[in-house]
Amino acid sequence: MNVQERIDFLRKEISGHNHSYYVLDNPSVSDFEFDSLLKELQNLENLHPEYFDRNSPTQRVGGSVIDGFVSVPHKYRMLSLGNTYSEEDLIDFDTRLKKITDQPIKYVCELKYDGVSISLSYKHGELIQALTRGDGTKGDDVTLNVKTIKSIPLKLKGNYPKEFEIRGEIFIPISDFNKMNENRAKENLEPYANPRNIASGSLKLLDSTEAGKRPLDCFLYYLLGENNPTTSHYNNLKEARKWGFKIPTEIEQFNDINGVLSFVKKWEEKRKHLPFEIDGIVIKVDDVNMQEEMGFTAKSPRWAISYKFKAEQVSTRLNKITYQVGRTGAITPVANLEPVQLAGTRVKRASLHNADQIAKLDIREGDLVYVEKGGEIIPKVVGVELKERDLFSSPTMYINFCPSCNTELIRKEGDSKHYCINSDLCLPQIIGRFEHFIGRKAMNIDSLGSETVELLIKKQLISTISDLYLLKIEDLLPLKKDGRKWAENIIIGIDKSRNISFERVLFALGIRYVGETVAKKLANHFTTIHNLMNATFDQLIDVDEIGDKIAESVVSYFSEQKNTILIENLKFHNLCFISEEKEEYLSDKLEGISIVVSGVFDNYSRKELKDLIEKHGGKNVSSISKNTTFVLAGDNMGPSKKQKAEDLGVSIVSEEEFINKIS
Ligand code: IVH
């Protein structure tokens, strides 16, 4: 055997062992044997770089660090599923479909994995790309991180189509999740909230070596392509299993809706014993031709639906109510519970939302309470077992003063929460603002953690965000023994953040209601901080998807002198306040034209139409006014909108007319 043959042999051998271990759950060699094969391959590859293969099993350890993710259009849109919650809903689903086809409908039932969806592309049997769902039309290229997931084959075996996509869910098994949290507890770190969040965070790590350390796994459940082996979804998945994919074994095929109902019932109970989290069942029409006939609505396929389980509930003792102060000064009451196992995780704290919620449920310290984990990350208290109440307990008196700085709390009309308005001096608010500013989705200064921020504030080295950019290594050295490397890293991290884009700087400022998406919209529309600061309320609400609440908040933020001074200082430190995002430009056919998009369309989603408008130089506006050039209307446009357009003499254009206009 020459070197090349040996390399080929080792690659096949190791892939086979990976498949046995990670897909079949049935190891074929000892760890020792596996490691020595891998080491031999690594050595040979190092000695013979001419045989490099990006899909060799050695490439699974990661090793590449990238600056950011590239957004790539999906070949087939990634849609979500409609939800159902009861047996009747499922029977309605069946009735709806029977109106579309005369043929008997076979269904396939699958578990609904609670992870992050992923789309994998294969060409000639090799993994070439892995994309996240993103906004459904384009997703982030996370191939390098995905390659570290051992149950995803990098090379296929058997008789696979030349080119196809396969979709599935990346998740972290519950036992691995619990182990991760045990390790965090040992290091005195806050536990992770749930497996789904870590799975999603792991895919977005810039260093694939780090992603490789996460216990990620992947089930695949949807084969797409022009040359699928069969016209049955169920059989396609069975074939894909032979190519090396981890296809869930719980999948079942039924001849009618009754089978579906019994599957749902069975898993409602059995799901508690699964080694991974699921949040429902997915029901799909099996026949791919029938699927095509049934088609899609704007958001989801008509031929598939999800059945959501009722949220799991447990009862436990409420030991104490404490109050948290957020970065905006909002007070959140927190239930400190007798720890209890709920939906796979250990729960110690739950949200009590606000004063009204506590009063409505008459929640008191010492009560036996019901805790539920719904779609949200944080569990909530949903009720009290009054029969168990201590005779001498007394109603909860909500606090009137800030638990941190003792300032009197205020509650504005229409607000559900109490607020501490001492924003400049109240420590948790100051810390919260810094935490938000340095966060991964904002300035991404990961060399600075919450504890360091707190220390720097207490040592009076920083008090407003711009102070970060004045820090010098010498300021930090006295804070930590042998801390030069630590201090250098912090300064480098802060320095690097000067390259962060305008939209993220805008998000980092922490203006109320200006989340990631809104920041992006504002940055794209106004392009500079100067324009945004000078924008009036009316100009703001004219921007697509910017409503009264956001506009008011933005105007009020920039009307405060301390904020304009902050911006000046940050500009002085060279942060980016100009949008460099150049939207893909197709033509100027819609230059100077303001369009309102309304209703549901046959061929494009609303989002796609809005993108097209921008790419052709037009402006999307959210409400009809005399300045609107036309309304692009689909089905189900609201009657009041129609009336308004008629009253103002604004013309109504159909999807087809619009596409003709820009073609
Ligand atoms: S099929 C067009 N099957 O649920 C159909 N999705 O709400 C595409 N999911 O984005 C999805 N388990 O991330 C399908 N067995 C399963 C699933 C599943 C979990 C997720 C998926 C999707 C979301 C839809």
Side-chain angles (χ1 to χ4, degrees):
M1 209 185 272
N2 65 26
V3 174
Q4 192 179 5
E5 282 165 350
R6 181 70 188 163
I7 288 181
D8 275 351
F9 168 80
L10 287 168
R11 284 177 181 161
K12 283 217 178 81
E13 190 75 6
I14 295 169
S15 300
H17 295 318
N18 263 336
H19 182 258
S20 305
Y21 189 93
Y22 292 101
V23 178
L24 307 177
D25 236 345
N26 184 15
S28 43
V29 280
S30 69
D31 288 0
F32 176 77
E33 270 171 281
F34 183 86
D35 287 344
S36 42
L37 290 172
L38 193 63
K39 234 176 241 150
E40 184 188 345
L41 178 59
Q42 255 153 357
N43 282 338
L44 286 177
E45 286 184 351
N46 287 344
L47 288 170
H48 297 276
E50 66 273 27
Y51 300 130
F52 173 79
D53 181 342
R54 65 192 171 124
N55 281 341
S56 164
T58 52
Q59 301 301 305
R60 286 197 186 271
V61 286
S64 320
V65 181
I66 53 174
D67 292 335
F69 295 97
V70 181
S71 174
V72 180
H74 286 296
K75 187 166 174 198
Y76 311 94
R77 275 207 296 148
M78 272 183 101
L79 296 161
S80 60
L81 293 170
N83 289 328
T84 57
Y85 299 90
S86 65
E87 213 168 81
E88 292 81 68
D89 289 349
L90 289 175
I91 293 170
D92 285 351
F93 168 69
D94 182 50
T95 317
R96 262 198 319 273
L97 295 186
K98 280 185 178 141
K99 284 188 193 141
I100 308 181
T101 179
D102 300 332
Q103 308 291 318
I105 306 174
K106 264 196 193 152
Y107 289 110
V108 175
C109 287
E110 299 163 19
L111 303 183
K112 187 167 188 297
Y113 306 96
D114 198 6
V116 194
S117 44
I118 193 79
S119 188
L120 308 174
S121 307
Y122 285 81
K123 249 190 204 164
H124 304 294
E126 298 223 11
L127 173 68
I128 54 157
Q129 193 170 56
L131 299 181
T132 61
R133 174 160 153 194
D135 64 4
T137 49
K138 48 187 182 347
D140 283 340
D141 184 336
V142 289
T143 316
L144 292 172
N145 288 343
V146 162
K147 275 189 177 178
T148 66
I149 304 174
K150 310 282 198 314
S151 55
I152 293 183
L154 302 182
K155 283 176 195 277
L156 305 178
K157 47 187 186 167
N159 198 10
Y160 44 79
K162 209 163 67 190
E163 195 174 335
F164 67 90
E165 277 189 36
I166 191 161
R167 293 187 176 162
E169 204 82 356
I170 292 181
F171 65 98
I172 290 189
I174 296 172
S175 58
D176 290 305
F177 172 74
N178 289 340
K179 255 183 251 153
M180 286 177 89
N181 268 349
E182 280 160 27
N183 288 337
R184 280 182 79 78
K186 277 185 211 144
E187 290 176 46
N188 264 338
L189 294 168
E190 273 286 298
Y192 291 123
N194 61 32
R196 182 183 359 105
N197 281 20
I198 319 179
S200 135
S202 306
L203 284 188
K204 292 299 179 67
L205 288 169
L206 296 172
D207 181 350
S208 56
T209 315
E210 282 308 307
K213 291 181 191 156
R214 305 283 175 93
L216 299 170
D217 203 342
C218 181
F219 278 133
L220 293 144
Y221 47 62
Y222 187 23
L223 183 70
L224 289 117
E226 270 92 68
N227 304 305
N228 284 354
T230 78
T231 55
S232 146
H233 165 69
Y234 183 76
N235 291 336
N236 282 343
L237 290 185
K238 268 188 20 196
E239 288 302 307
R241 183 178 288 142
K242 294 184 198 153
W243 311 331
F245 290 108
K246 186 159 178 166
I247 307 291
T249 48
E250 298 85 6
I251 170 168
E252 279 184 62
Q253 203 182 25
F254 297 103
N255 287 329
D256 57 29
I257 196 74
N258 292 326
V260 171
L261 298 180
S262 58
F263 185 91
V264 165
K265 235 186 222 123
K266 175 172 88 181
W267 283 103
E268 200 122 36
E269 181 48 40
K270 267 180 86 168
R271 72 168 169 137
K272 294 179 188 130
H273 312 293
L274 283 168
F276 42 78
E277 289 197 346
I278 62 170
D279 59 347
I281 302 291
V282 180
I283 300 107
K284 299 175 184 171
V285 169
D286 185 45
D287 187 318
V288 178
N289 294 328
M290 217 181 251
Q291 290 182 358
E292 247 164 55
E293 193 186 334
M294 293 166 175
F296 299 85
T297 69
K299 276 196 305 208
S300 46
R302 286 202 186 82
W303 48 265
I305 205 151
S306 84
Y307 172 87
K308 288 281 195 120
F309 292 132
K310 278 169 212 71
E312 244 185 88
Q313 260 188 20
V314 283
S315 65
T316 188
R317 194 66 62 189
L318 166 56
N319 291 330
K320 195 166 173 51
I321 298 176
T322 53
Y323 298 85
Q324 263 178 3
V325 189
R327 72 178 159 85
T328 58
I331 306 291
T332 304
V334 177
N336 294 265
L337 307 162
E338 199 56 44
V340 63
Q341 201 68 15
L342 173 62
T345 49
R346 196 173 136 88
V347 175
K348 281 194 297 201
R349 283 142 58 89
S351 171
L352 290 168
H353 298 290
N354 51 45
D356 289 350
Q357 180 75 2
I358 295 180
K360 192 172 121 205
L361 298 174
D362 186 18
I363 300 169
R364 304 178 185 188
E365 286 182 350
D367 276 349
L368 188 71
V369 292
Y370 291 101
V371 184
E372 186 175 292
K373 210 161 168 194
E376 313 80 16
I377 299 161
I378 305 161
K380 53 187 179 198
V381 172
V382 291
V384 175
E385 184 51 87
L386 290 174
K387 278 187 263 157
E388 293 275 330
R389 172 164 287 166
D390 189 298
L391 259 175
F392 300 103
S393 86
S394 50
T396 299
M397 300 291 288
Y398 204 78
I399 51 168
N400 292 318
F401 296 91
C402 175
S404 175
C405 69
N406 222 19
T407 303
E408 189 164 6
L409 300 179
I410 59 154
R411 185 176 175 186
K412 284 203 207 116
E413 223 182 278
D415 266 347
S416 59
K417 293 206 164 189
H418 287 67
Y419 280 84
C420 165
I421 52 165
N422 186 18
S423 61
D424 292 342
L425 299 172
C426 179
L427 189 60
Q429 293 189 55
I430 303 172
I431 297 176
R433 279 198 294 275
F434 275 101
E435 280 175 343
H436 176 77
F437 186 79
I438 65 176
R440 200 167 52 83
K441 292 178 171 174
M443 306 303 280
N444 195 21
I445 310 180
D446 57 3
S447 51
L448 258 182
S450 301
E451 278 145 43
T452 314
V453 163
E454 199 169 335
L455 183 68
L456 296 178
I457 295 169
K458 286 191 174 146
K459 295 279 177 196
Q460 296 183 337
L461 285 165
I462 53 174
S463 63
T464 55
I465 282 162
S466 52
D467 295 341
L468 283 175
Y469 295 92
L470 293 169
L471 284 176
K472 292 188 288 301
I473 292 187
E474 297 73 54
D475 298 329
L476 303 173
L477 288 177
L479 303 181
K480 195 168 177 168
K481 199 165 160 261
D482 298 329
R484 178 161 282 275
K485 189 95 205 107
W486 168 79
E488 279 171 1
N489 267 341
I490 292 180
I491 301 296
I492 292 172
I494 294 173
D495 228 22
K496 265 205 332 218
S497 74
R498 291 179 223 260
N499 298 326
I500 295 284
S501 65
F502 174 35
E503 62 185 57
R504 280 174 61 181
V505 175
L506 188 57
F507 168 64
L509 292 177
I511 305 169
R512 208 167 163 202
Y513 306 124
V514 179
E516 266 179 290
T517 323
V518 171
K520 198 176 197 153
K521 285 227 144 65
L522 293 174
N524 274 342
H525 187 93
F526 291 100
T527 65
T528 67
I529 193 80
H530 175 81
N531 293 345
L532 180 63
M533 286 169 86
N534 289 312
T536 60
F537 176 85
D538 287 339
Q539 285 166 334
L540 282 159
I541 54 167
D542 220 17
V543 181
D544 185 38
E545 281 170 37
I546 303 295
D548 293 7
K549 232 171 46 175
I550 302 172
E552 249 168 45
S553 165
V554 171
V555 170
S556 134
Y557 181 88
F558 290 119
S559 69
E560 284 195 55
Q561 200 187 18
K562 65 173 186 208
N563 294 331
T564 53
I565 293 175
L566 171 68
I567 306 280
E568 281 314 310
N569 285 335
L570 292 176
K571 265 191 198 165
F572 175 78
H573 291 299
N574 285 327
L575 265 65
C576 178
F577 283 106
I578 295 181
S579 180
E580 280 165 15
E581 175 103 335
K582 294 260 178 304
E583 284 286 330
E584 193 191 342
Y585 178 76
L586 296 176
S587 85
D588 58 2
K589 287 186 178 148
L590 302 175
E591 188 75 54
I593 292 185
S594 297
I595 304 169
V596 173
V597 182
S598 175
V600 179
F601 297 86
D602 293 336
N603 301 307
Y604 293 88
S605 71
R606 259 207 302 274
K607 165 98 181 59
E608 285 169 332
L609 290 169
K610 285 180 177 178
D611 283 350
L612 279 173
I613 291 175
E614 276 170 17
K615 287 177 187 164
H616 287 277
K619 207 163 111 187
N620 285 296
V621 287
S622 46
S623 56
I624 304 171
S625 72
K626 59 179 188 333
N627 299 328
T628 310
T629 320
F630 61 79
V631 180
L632 171 52
D635 295 340
N636 301 335
M637 171 178 167
S640 61
K641 266 200 178 149
K642 212 170 200 163
Q643 189 62 48
K644 192 160 180 196
E646 274 167 21
D647 291 350
L648 293 170
V650 174
S651 56
I652 293 183
V653 168
S654 73
E655 183 181 8
E656 200 184 335
E657 286 169 315
F658 171 75
I659 297 299
N660 285 338
K661 251 185 217 291
I662 57 170
S663 312

